[in-house]
Amino acid sequence: MTDSTRLSPGDPAPDFTLEDAQGKQVSLADYAGSTVIVYFYPKASTPGCTTEACDFRDNLDSLESLGYRVLGISPDKPGALQKFVDNQSLTFPLLSDPSHEVAEAYGAWGEKKNYGKVSVGLIRSTFVIDGSGTIQLAQYNVRAKGHVAKLRRDLGIDA
């Protein structure tokens, strides 16, 4: 439970179905044929997660014009996600993974160090999944600030 296997480019992306902020079921399979950026974040409405979510929101039009779709996943319940969406005017789906099963399947749940203290929880991670469901890019322990700019550089889509 504490150490999930990390994914690498070329691995099949684990499929999932989770509830969004409105309680609607959303599956990775719904995005078949599209390139999807799936990012895991620890907790809605916290400073780092707000910075990262707003970064994706502010770059969404540009990413979508290049064919990328964005999904955010956290352990938060749909009600907390809806509040986050409303407060930050987020324009992409946020999905609820309270049992952290999906995070575990992606290797985004495990031991992490914060200010020298080791704990088990969500590891801020981002995955780019191509239209056939294959991992193109897997990033673990990403920094919230400037993450989208780094992701764009790593994908070769610098604006």
Side-chain angles (χ1 to χ4, degrees):
M1 173 175 127
T2 52
D3 269 336
S4 332
T5 305
R6 293 203 164 180
L7 298 174
S8 302
D11 289 343
D15 197 12
F16 58 80
T17 301
L18 296 170
E19 285 186 22
D20 70 6
Q22 293 83 38
K24 183 180 146 238
Q25 299 280 308
V26 175
S27 297
L28 180 60
D30 297 341
Y31 294 87
S34 299
T35 301
V36 185
I37 297 169
V38 176
Y39 81 98
F40 290 86
Y41 63 98
K43 188 160 177 54
S45 302
T46 56
C49 296
T50 299
T51 296
E52 186 176 28
C54 290
D55 197 9
F56 274 110
R57 177 201 65 204
D58 296 346
N59 284 280
L60 192 62
D61 286 346
S62 168
L63 290 168
E64 286 184 340
S65 74
L66 295 166
Y68 294 91
R69 307 289 298 278
V70 176
L71 296 174
I73 300 178
S74 76
D76 297 296
K77 299 246 189 293
L81 296 177
Q82 187 60 58
K83 210 167 165 180
F84 192 31
V85 165
D86 293 343
N87 289 343
Q88 302 302 327
S89 303
L90 301 177
T91 52
F92 56 89
L94 296 182
L95 307 180
S96 174
D97 184 24
S99 65
H100 50 80
E101 282 179 39
V102 176
E104 286 183 42
Y106 277 78
W109 186 269
E111 278 191 10
K112 57 186 192 170
K113 235 183 230 179
N114 199 15
Y115 302 110
K117 185 177 163 226
V118 176
S119 63
V120 173
L122 196 126
I123 299 160
R124 192 180 305 275
S125 307
T126 300
F127 304 88
V128 177
I129 302 163
D130 71 18
S132 65
T134 301
I135 302 282
Q136 285 186 318
L137 186 71
Q139 298 178 328
Y140 293 93
N141 298 306
V142 302
R143 300 176 64 94
K145 190 174 169 73
H147 177 53
V148 175
K150 181 185 183 314
L151 184 60
R152 292 176 71 93
R153 283 192 305 275
D154 293 347
L155 290 170
I157 57 171
D158 260 314

